[in-house]
Amino acid sequence: MTQTLTGGPGLTQERNLVTEVPGPRSRERLARKKAHVADGVGTALPVFVEAAGGGVLRDVDGNTLIDLGSGIAVTTVGNSAEAVVRRVREQLDSFTHTCFMVTPYDAYVDVCEALAEVTPGDHAKKSALFNSGSEAVENAVKIARVATGRDAVVVFDHAYHGRTNLTMAMTAKVMPYKHGFGPFAGEVYRAPMSYPLRDGLSGEQAAARAVEVMEKQVGADNLACVVIEPVQGEGGFVVPAPGFLPALARWCREHGVVLVADEVQSGFCRTGDWFACDHEGVVPDLVTTAKGIAGGLPLAAVTGRAELMDAVHTGGLGGTYGGNPLACAAALGALEEMRTHDLVGRAREVGAILHERLGALAAEHPVVAEVRGRGAMVAVELCVPGTTEPDAARTAAVAAACHAAGVVVLTCGTYGNVIRVLPPLSTTDALLHEGLDVLAEAFAATA
Ligand SMILES: *Cc1c(COP(=O)(O)O)cnc(C)c1O
């Protein structure tokens, strides 16, 4: 068993509640937030954190909570992981910014070299670095358009690609991500996703349905890229039926369409492989990454076939902060953690525990329509028993009960009826089991 307890400022690795959640100090701060922070910026669980590491968060009231969210799949290597802290400290003492587009530095190139090694496929690859997942997706589309000389972009039902103008157009769910924010970027078309619980189709059948939209409503000759999350994140941890992604990849290759895997949430060991595409041996032309890449510092990347990446004219890609030296140092530290502690293997162990425990939960509570996911990216979808009618109210109640008991879980899904589990891979089996005990109690208490 490879339990990694790196990082964290010496936090005791156990759940411990000394006040209600949120406690009085968090509630005081929530009033300050209300006064100074725009209401549009919400919080899932309003406890103010003062320390985090291993598998826990400690709040300003002294409560220690079990983290099953990793700040939305970001702190995969843990909070303040040792190698991340060490490398960022070293970088801090040297310099904080030059702008890579003005005067370059090694850490940026080191990250790009490492990305070529760990992303799917052994072809010649290059990368460009950015600040956020949305920005990476925008740039992948820019690259695909220049490389193909075509305009159209195909995305899928339930997709989440970000909150900038182009990525809002690519994101499926209107509330809260798009409502009132239009007009949106054009030439974005939506195809049906493979969603086995809801469509009952095989991967091949679902791919044929998507291809029909691409051929009849868009036209391969107009299509620059197909952008897909190999395991959907915000859309509900939807895992397409086996064969769906390989069939799409085949169609894209036959028609000169760039296949972009948006691995912003699923990448970097999360799914029990370096990338979710690896599970079916799918090799995308471009991969977008962010979230788990740098242990919590803002960094994102587009990595892809060298000839596609190089299609863009010099100066066409970049940004003031893209590939900031501190963020690059953090990414190199995160990669060191992933390799040193075999976090691919750890994600599989965590996944085995999650599937076993959540499977037992499903057997006991008919409201659980499905347990799905890969590695340490697993969710339960809640429906009215015996149907596929979403039960968002029960989902919200279960999440609230977990929060009150000191376990951070997140919800997701187009219908708001999915509870997702994304523990930091630095957690212990004991914390994981205790977190899942609390989740089971939350199901029982809300029945
Ligand atoms: C979170 C996410 C994004 C957007 O990333 P930001 O850093 O929030 O801009 C894009 N794609 C996927 C799959 C994501 O999960």
Side-chain angles (χ1 to χ4, degrees):
M1 196 162 32
T2 50
Q3 292 204 348
T4 57
L5 277 176
T6 58
L11 279 171
T12 309
Q13 295 294 314
E14 58 187 30
R15 181 173 62 118
N16 181 31
L17 299 188
V18 296
T19 71
E20 59 183 332
V21 179
R25 289 181 176 158
S26 277
R27 287 203 301 270
E28 237 173 68
R29 284 162 171 83
L30 200 57
R32 281 190 68 224
K33 171 188 178 279
K34 184 82 191 141
H36 300 294
V37 180
D39 287 346
V41 184
T43 48
L45 170 53
V47 302
F48 280 70
V49 171
E50 66 171 23
V56 298
L57 308 163
R58 192 177 68 219
D59 74 12
V60 290
D61 288 286
N63 299 304
T64 307
L65 290 80
I66 295 176
D67 182 11
L68 296 183
S70 301
I72 318 186
V74 169
T75 53
T76 302
V77 297
N79 253 290
S80 302
E82 186 278 327
V84 173
V85 171
R86 170 169 37 81
R87 286 176 183 255
V88 172
R89 280 215 175 106
E90 280 167 19
Q91 182 60 48
L92 258 179
D93 287 336
S94 307
F95 62 95
T96 49
H97 175 83
T98 63
C99 188
F100 191 77
M101 301 182 303
V102 179
T103 47
Y105 39 87
D106 286 339
Y108 188 115
V109 183
D110 292 343
V111 170
C112 294
E113 185 179 27
L115 285 168
E117 285 163 20
V118 297
T119 51
D122 51 14
H123 49 280
K125 291 176 212 162
K126 290 194 176 184
S127 293
L129 305 182
F130 306 96
N131 304 295
S132 69
S134 308
E135 221 187 321
V137 172
E138 290 245 356
N139 279 280
V141 172
K142 283 164 64 175
I143 293 162
R145 283 177 170 162
V146 169
T148 59
R150 305 171 182 172
D151 294 334
V153 176
V154 159
V155 292
F156 290 83
D157 287 332
H158 313 289
Y160 182 86
H161 297 294
R163 295 173 179 270
T164 56
N165 187 266
L166 174 58
T167 58
M168 275 194 292
M170 296 168 68
T171 289
K173 191 174 176 176
V174 66
M175 199 55 157
Y177 308 122
K178 302 166 73 160
H179 179 71
F181 297 142
F184 302 112
E187 287 307 305
V188 175
Y189 300 86
R190 196 168 303 284
M193 177 66 179
S194 167
Y195 194 154
L197 173 71
R198 293 183 178 278
D199 63 27
L201 299 179
S202 71
E204 288 289 340
Q205 291 167 330
R209 186 177 62 168
V211 162
E212 186 176 303
V213 169
M214 298 192 249
E215 289 184 342
K216 301 299 174 214
Q217 297 181 33
V218 188
D221 292 348
N222 302 313
L223 183 52
C225 58
V226 168
V227 184
I228 189 161
E229 300 156 88
V231 174
Q232 289 185 322
E234 306 306 300
F237 281 25
V238 178
V239 183
F244 179 74
L245 293 172
L248 280 185
R250 218 160 35 239
W251 185 86
C252 285
R253 201 158 47 239
E254 280 163 15
H255 294 86
V257 174
V258 176
L259 178 65
V260 182
D262 182 354
E263 294 246 19
V264 166
Q265 190 153 161
S266 56
F268 296 105
C269 308
R270 176 53 60 187
T271 63
D273 241 314
W274 275 95
F275 291 89
C277 277
D278 293 330
H279 289 276
E280 287 189 274
V282 169
V283 178
D285 300 303
L286 301 177
V287 186
T288 55
T289 55
K291 293 199 167 94
I293 193 174
L297 271 79
L299 188 71
V302 181
T303 302
R305 294 187 186 282
E307 67 276 17
L308 295 178
M309 297 296 294
D310 285 341
V312 178
H313 45 281
T314 300
L317 302 175
T320 305
Y321 294 117
N324 167 272
L326 297 172
C328 287
L332 296 170
L335 287 160
E336 183 183 330
E337 292 278 343
M338 291 175 205
R339 289 182 167 129
T340 312
H341 299 293
D342 181 22
L343 294 188
V344 163
R346 180 62 186 148
R348 290 182 186 182
E349 289 175 357
V350 166
I353 294 172
L354 294 179
H355 267 102
E356 188 204 316
R357 295 290 310 271
L358 296 173
L361 198 68
E364 204 177 325
H365 298 280
V367 71
V368 177
E370 190 174 48
V371 179
R372 60 172 177 256
R374 292 192 194 280
M377 183 174 184
V378 182
V380 289
E381 174 159 357
L382 281 69
C383 294
V384 174
T387 75
T388 53
E389 189 190 323
D391 193 344
R394 180 76 180 280
T395 307
V398 169
C402 288
H403 294 171
V407 175
V408 181
V409 294
L410 305 171
T411 60
C412 62
T414 298
Y415 315 106
N417 68 327
V418 178
I419 294 174
R420 57 175 151 174
V421 183
L422 288 164
L425 299 177
S426 53
T427 197
T428 62
D429 288 0
L431 280 172
L432 208 51
H433 279 292
E434 192 179 342
L436 295 166
D437 288 344
V438 168
L439 181 63
E441 283 159 22
F443 269 93
T446 56

